[in-house]
Amino acid sequence: MTGIDQFPRRCWAEIDLAALERNLIAIKAALPPHIRYIAVVKADAYGHGMNQTVARLMQAGIDMYGVANVAEAATIREIGGSGWSILVLGAVLQDEAPFLFEYDLTPTLSTVEEVAFLDRMAAERGATLKVHLKIDTGMGRLGIWHENANTLFDALKAASHLQLDGIYTHFAHAETDVEFTERQRRRFMTAIAAVDWIQPEKLLIHADNSAGLTSFSRESAYNAVRIGLLQFGITPYAQSLFAKVPTTPIFSFKTRIAIVKDLPAGTEISYGRTCRLKRPSKIAILCAGYGDGIPRALSNKGFALIQGQRCPYLGRVTMDQTIIDVTDLDPLPRAGDEVCLIGTQNDGEIKIEQFARWAGTISWEILCSITKRVPRIYKTSIATG
């Protein structure tokens, strides 16, 4: 080892790639054979690491990747070469558009202007560009509003150098609002049914993600699903088709104890003095803070695992250090001992979903907020069982 790699780790994340592969196999086994698997790996594969995650998913047999932008898509192409379909889920800026052709990418189109611009660019290159159209059925973000979808379809029909490869929408509240999700489904299918020149069975038709999926049938036009967090072992809500799929969390977040010390009752803890000790206490100072990805919102909330036991956070989380109460532990921990922030330790577990609830946010944000200062350690064993 050379450079910073030689230093002992103060805070790190562990990624189990074998578990990732097992998760994907389990998810695919729960899907009917005709359903295509779009692996969503945007935002550095939700903080798990693009390079390692994408390479393992290639081995496991996904059908398409979904990314946020052209730069992410180019990274996948550099990792895996040709032969992998890559859907850019975000809007493509005009100065990014040439890279669609260079890297053989599939853009998402939401406007008539995008259709016209990319058709001209493809014509200038003597190329045909595959595209997906997005229909806004209630998210209010990308996509053409469902009532106006015919204008986008008409523009695409007139475009001689664009090839329709798929149509999709995005659910706004799939986790808890079944009624609104069904309304979005109806809007989506109505917009597609109004177009007489397309053949849905020859396209990728997708709306569902890990949370939204409730069922698939041969009679349905849906033939693809976008899977993000579920492949990383973060389970959807209970009514989802995938709620009972046996996936395993692949991400753990760990740090170490810097020092352990005694403080008297009445001591006020950390910035702002927001915590006052009610008893003589033994506290541990952790080698991680919000500069690593422990949310400041966890101040005086939640727990970390030491010796498999939950120890509460005390006072405000600071940039580089966090304070926890270890008074009730026996034996008393020591400097250098491992602390589990997310994951399992002995018989204890803190799931990322619980960690996120303590912080008043969602698992997606937690994963994307664990900073580059935190090295990712990859377990690369063969997936078995």
Side-chain angles (χ1 to χ4, degrees):
M1 294 187 293
T2 60
I4 63 171
D5 292 335
Q6 67 184 313
F7 291 108
R9 299 184 184 97
R10 299 169 62 87
C11 182
W12 68 98
E14 294 176 0
I15 316 295
D16 189 340
L17 295 176
L20 171 65
E21 186 174 351
R22 289 194 297 271
N23 290 344
L24 188 143
I25 292 169
I27 295 166
K28 290 182 69 173
L31 290 171
H34 70 288
I35 301 298
R36 305 283 294 279
Y37 189 113
I38 303 172
V40 181
V41 292
K42 59 186 179 178
D44 198 33
Y46 296 88
H48 291 78
M50 177 76 83
N51 290 13
Q52 295 83 354
T53 300
V54 164
R56 196 58 175 249
L57 288 171
M58 285 177 179
Q59 297 176 28
I62 58 93
D63 297 297
M64 173 180 273
Y65 289 103
V67 295
N69 54 53
V70 166
E72 291 181 345
T75 297
I76 294 178
R77 189 64 75 213
E78 296 293 345
I79 295 168
S82 60
W84 303 96
S85 297
I86 304 173
L87 174 63
V88 180
L89 298 165
V92 176
L93 303 177
Q94 290 197 3
D95 56 359
E96 295 175 321
F99 296 100
L100 296 172
F101 301 91
E102 180 176 345
Y103 288 97
D104 186 24
L105 310 178
T106 301
T108 292
L109 304 186
S110 302
T111 69
V112 171
E113 292 76 14
E114 288 174 315
V115 170
F117 174 74
L118 287 178
D119 188 46
R120 288 195 304 270
M121 182 170 282
E124 292 168 358
R125 287 165 167 74
T128 298
L129 182 67
K130 290 183 178 180
V131 302
H132 281 217
L133 299 190
K134 187 168 187 180
I135 299 174
D136 180 2
T137 57
M139 182 69 175
R141 206 170 56 173
L142 293 183
I144 191 163
W145 185 244
H146 64 99
E147 293 176 334
N148 305 324
N150 63 302
T151 62
L152 192 59
F153 282 107
D154 289 345
L156 183 64
K157 184 179 181 181
S160 57
H161 288 79
L162 300 183
Q163 177 185 335
L164 182 62
D165 185 60
I167 310 168
Y168 72 103
T169 191
H170 192 84
F171 295 139
H173 209 179
E175 293 86 351
T176 56
D177 196 332
V178 175
E179 181 180 349
F180 187 71
T181 301
E182 288 305 313
R183 190 184 311 166
Q184 286 191 264
R185 286 188 190 279
R186 291 193 298 272
R187 289 172 173 176
F188 182 56
M189 298 314 300
T190 297
I192 294 175
V195 184
D196 58 9
W197 59 270
I198 64 171
Q199 297 176 283
E201 67 276 7
K202 295 184 178 181
L203 305 173
L204 284 182
I205 308 295
H206 49 108
D208 293 285
N209 54 19
S210 302
L213 185 59
T214 54
S215 64
F216 270 119
S217 69
R218 283 288 184 181
E219 292 70 36
S220 170
Y222 298 109
N223 57 15
V225 61
R226 302 188 301 272
I227 301 293
L229 284 188
L230 183 63
Q231 61 199 348
F232 303 119
I234 301 172
T235 55
Y237 76 119
Q239 285 71 39
S240 169
L241 176 67
F242 287 136
K244 296 182 180 179
V245 174
T247 59
T248 303
I250 76 168
F251 184 93
S252 299
F253 187 23
K254 299 179 179 181
T255 187
R256 299 168 72 192
I257 294 175
I259 66 169
V260 177
K261 66 186 225 179
D262 294 285
L263 288 175
T267 302
E268 295 169 320
I269 302 296
S270 194
Y271 292 123
R273 298 153 49 209
T274 60
C275 174
R276 184 182 179 90
L277 296 180
K278 297 179 180 179
R279 61 178 178 172
S281 301
K282 296 182 183 296
I283 67 166
I285 314 304
L286 308 186
C287 298
Y290 63 75
D292 303 280
I294 301 177
R296 196 166 180 267
L298 278 183
S299 300
N300 295 304
K301 297 179 183 178
F303 302 85
L305 292 175
I306 299 179
Q307 302 169 7
Q309 302 299 310
R310 290 191 171 193
C311 301
Y313 289 87
L314 298 177
R316 286 185 181 166
V317 175
T318 65
M319 181 181 291
D320 309 305
Q321 299 166 32
T322 303
I323 304 165
I324 61 174
D325 187 346
V326 297
T327 308
D328 296 326
L329 293 185
D330 185 19
L332 190 68
R334 297 180 297 177
D337 283 0
E338 182 179 293
V339 180
C340 183
L341 305 171
I342 298 171
T344 60
Q345 187 186 69
N346 299 344
D347 294 328
E349 181 178 20
I350 294 176
K351 292 187 175 182
I352 190 170
E353 298 94 328
Q354 179 66 73
F355 188 87
R357 283 194 294 272
W358 288 333
T361 185
I362 56 176
S363 301
W364 293 259
E365 184 177 11
I366 295 298
L367 288 168
C368 292
S369 298
I370 295 175
T371 69
K372 293 298 183 182
R373 188 163 78 172
V374 178
R376 272 62 169 174
I377 312 303
Y378 293 92
K379 298 180 180 180
T380 58
S381 60
I382 301 300
T384 58

